[in-house]
Amino acid sequence: MAKILLEMKNIVKEFPGVKALDNVNLTVEEGEIHAICGENGAGKSTLMNVLSGIYPYGSYSGDIVYDGEICKFQKIKDSEAKGIVIIHQELALVPLLTIGENMFLGNERGSAARIDWSETFAKADELLGMVGLKDSSKTLVKDIGVGKQQLVEIAKALGKKVRLLILDEPTASLNETESKHLLDLMLKFKQQGMTCIIISHKLNEISYVADKITVIRDGSSIMTLDKKKDDFSEDTIIAAMVGRSLTDRFPKREPKIGEVCFEVKNWCVDHPIYDGIKVCDNVNFNLRRGEVLGISGLMGAGRTELAMSIFGRSYGANIRGQIFLNGKEVSFPNVKSAIKNKIAYVTEDRKGNGLILTESISKNTTSANPGKISKNYVIDFDKERLYSQQMAKEMHTKCASVDENVGNLSGGNMQKVLLGKWLFAEPDILILDEPTRGIDVGAKYEIYCIINKMVAEGKSVIMISSEMPEILGMCDRIYVMNEGRMIAEMNGKDATQEKIMTCIINSGK
C-alpha cells in the first residue's frame, strides 16, 4: 500500500459572512497526481492556500498532517521548507528580471554578502533543461510567452527541492501544444517519485494525468474518485461538481439571424512597438443581428489585437480601415466613443484590464455606464447598489454582498462581475475575448445562457475563444484567423475541429 504523504482533516476556513471551507478532508498518497475539482468559489484555491501557509495556522481550524507530522505553517516559507511548493494561476514572475533572477528570487545562490551569479545562471540553465525549456536563463521574462513562463515557475519550484507540487489552473492560458507538454511533464515527475496536486476546470486534462480526483462543492469535500476503481467519466465528475447531471454542455438555441449590423473592411493594425510588423493584415468580416460569431485561431493569431483595435483603438499603431455600424460608416477614436455606440469588449485579462480589484463589486458593475446611476454627475449610491444586486443575482455571482472587493472573489466569479459590468452598459454588440477561461462547467453554462438570451433579444455577439468545443458549440458562423489575416469563413453547423486546423495549417504553407 502506498504511503500517505498528506492528510488535511476537517479543515474549516471562514471569511466575514462566508464559510469558504466546511470540514474539508483530503488524503494524498506519495507519488500520485491528485486532482481537485469544483465550481468557481467551491473552495479549491482556499484549501491550497491553507496548505501552503498563505492562510497561517490559527486562521483556520483542522489539522494538516504532512509526512506523518502535524504542521502549523505560519507563512509560505514554512511549507516550502518541507518541500511543498504552490504555483498560482496568476504567475509570480517579474517581467524585467531575467529567468535566472526570477528562479532564485528569495532563494539566492551565494553568501549573505554576495550573490554568486555564475552559480545562479548555471543552476538555472540546469533546471530549465529538466523542464524542457531551451531558452537561456539570462533571457528577460517579458521576452518569453506565457507557456514558457509556466515552465519557468516549475523549474523555480524544482530549485526548492519540491516533494509536493501544487498547480492551480496551470493550463488556463496555454494552447493545446503547451498544455500537452506541461501535462506530460507532470507524468514524468510522477515517475521520478514527485507528488502533484492539480486544480483544473479542463476535465479532459484531469482524466489524462490524475490518479485520483477529489470533488469540492460549496466548501465541502463531496467524494474522491480513484482511476483504478471508479467511473472517471466527465459526466460523473460534473454531476459531483454541480450537484446535478449536465446533459448538454451548450444550451439549445433557435437562431433568428437578421441583416448585417456591423462590418469591418480592410482593417490593418501595426505593432505598437516593433516597426514593420502587422498584427492585423487587411482583415474583413461582418456580423449579423441576433448572431453569435466565432473567431477561431491559435494563440498569437491576432484575434485579441483585432478586437482591441476595433474597440476604441485601445491597441496598436497606424490603424486604418473602415467600420460600418448598421450600414453607416463610423469611427471609434477612443473607448468612450465605442461604448457610446453600444459596443462592449470583455477583455481576456480580467485582473489586469477588466476590473478594479481594490474596489467593490458594486462599483465595478456600474463603472462602464455611470450615467445610469447618476444625475447631474452625482452618483445615487442606493441605485448603484440595487442595480449591482440585480446583476449579481442574474449572474449567480457567489459573494457575501456587492460591497465585497472584487479582488476577494474566485476567478470565475470575477469573470461574472466583468461580464455583468458590460451587460450593464446595455450593448448591442458584445465582443467576448476568452469569456470562459479558468471557469468551471457550471459557470460556463450560465454564461452561455446569457449569450443566448442576448442574441434572442436581437443583439449580437463576437466570441474569441481558444477552446474549440466552445466555438463549435456556440457559434452560428466562424471566421478562422492566422498570422493577422482572416483565412476562412464557415457555417457553424458545417465546422469541425479538423476543418479549422486544416485551414490554419494550409494558410502557413
Side-chain angles (χ1 to χ4, degrees), residues 415-460:
Q415 188 71 13
K416 290 178 181 179
V417 174
L418 177 60
L419 185 54
K421 161 187 166 179
W422 287 110
L423 291 179
F424 186 73
E426 300 176 336
D428 290 331
I429 296 169
L430 180 65
I431 305 171
L432 299 169
D433 195 350
E434 304 289 358
T436 63
R437 175 175 285 170
I439 292 180
D440 64 79
V441 288
K444 282 183 180 182
Y445 191 87
E446 290 169 357
I447 288 175
Y448 298 151
C449 288
I450 291 164
I451 293 170
N452 284 356
K453 183 183 175 187
M454 274 194 71
V455 294
E457 293 169 353
K459 298 179 180 182
S460 306

Side-chain angles (χ1 to χ4, degrees), residues 179-224:
S179 297
K180 179 70 164 51
H181 176 65
L182 180 59
L183 297 172
D184 287 339
L185 197 58
M186 290 177 65
L187 293 171
K188 175 185 170 184
F189 290 153
K190 174 190 166 183
Q191 290 175 349
Q192 296 169 354
M194 187 187 293
T195 308
C196 290
I197 295 175
I198 179 173
I199 298 172
S200 179
H201 292 120
K202 297 182 179 180
L203 301 185
N204 60 323
E205 296 181 355
I206 290 291
S207 300
Y208 178 66
V209 295
D211 300 297
K212 290 179 186 170
I213 299 172
T214 293
V215 178
I216 297 177
R217 185 170 75 233
D218 297 330
S220 300
S221 43
I222 301 299
M223 64 167 65
T224 295

Side-chain angles (χ1 to χ4, degrees), residues 243-260:
R244 66 189 190 280
S245 61
L246 206 59
T247 54
D248 200 335
R249 301 284 181 90
F250 304 100
K252 295 281 190 291
R253 171 170 56 91
E254 286 296 328
K256 295 179 181 177
I257 297 171
E259 70 282 0
V260 171

Side-chain angles (χ1 to χ4, degrees), residues 91-108:
L91 302 180
L93 298 174
V94 183
L96 294 177
L97 293 183
T98 64
I99 292 172
E101 287 170 317
N102 269 281
M103 286 173 60
F104 292 103
L105 197 60
N107 185 31
E108 286 80 7

Side-chain angles (χ1 to χ4, degrees), residues 243-360:
R244 66 189 190 280
S245 61
L246 206 59
T247 54
D248 200 335
R249 301 284 181 90
F250 304 100
K252 295 281 190 291
R253 171 170 56 91
E254 286 296 328
K256 295 179 181 177
I257 297 171
E259 70 282 0
V260 171
C261 61
F262 187 76
E263 192 168 9
V264 173
K265 290 184 176 181
N266 305 317
W267 196 254
C268 296
V269 181
D270 293 346
H271 195 285
I273 298 173
Y274 302 111
D275 293 337
I277 296 177
K278 280 186 182 178
V279 292
C280 296
D281 186 3
N282 205 42
V283 170
N284 293 273
F285 74 91
N286 62 66
L287 173 69
R288 297 179 179 275
R289 203 174 305 280
E291 180 180 43
V292 179
L293 178 71
I295 301 181
S296 182
L298 303 177
M299 287 182 73
R303 298 166 300 165
T304 294
E305 292 81 357
L306 172 65
M308 291 181 68
S309 63
I310 290 170
F311 185 65
R313 298 175 179 250
S314 48
Y315 177 89
N318 192 23
I319 299 171
R320 56 247 186 236
Q322 295 173 290
I323 297 176
F324 295 87
L325 187 61
N326 298 318
K328 181 182 177 183
E329 186 170 357
V330 292
S331 176
F332 308 139
N334 51 49
V335 168
K336 187 176 180 180
S337 65
I339 296 171
K340 188 177 179 181
N341 280 278
K342 300 287 187 178
I343 312 290
Y345 169 63
V346 178
T347 175
E348 64 174 343
D349 183 8
R350 56 182 172 248
K351 284 191 173 182
N353 296 326
L355 298 167
I356 306 170
L357 302 183
T358 54
E359 289 288 2
S360 67

Side-chain angles (χ1 to χ4, degrees), residues 143-154:
D143 293 330
I144 61 174
V146 177
K148 289 184 177 180
Q149 288 180 27
Q150 190 81 58
L151 295 177
V152 169
E153 283 278 25
I154 294 173

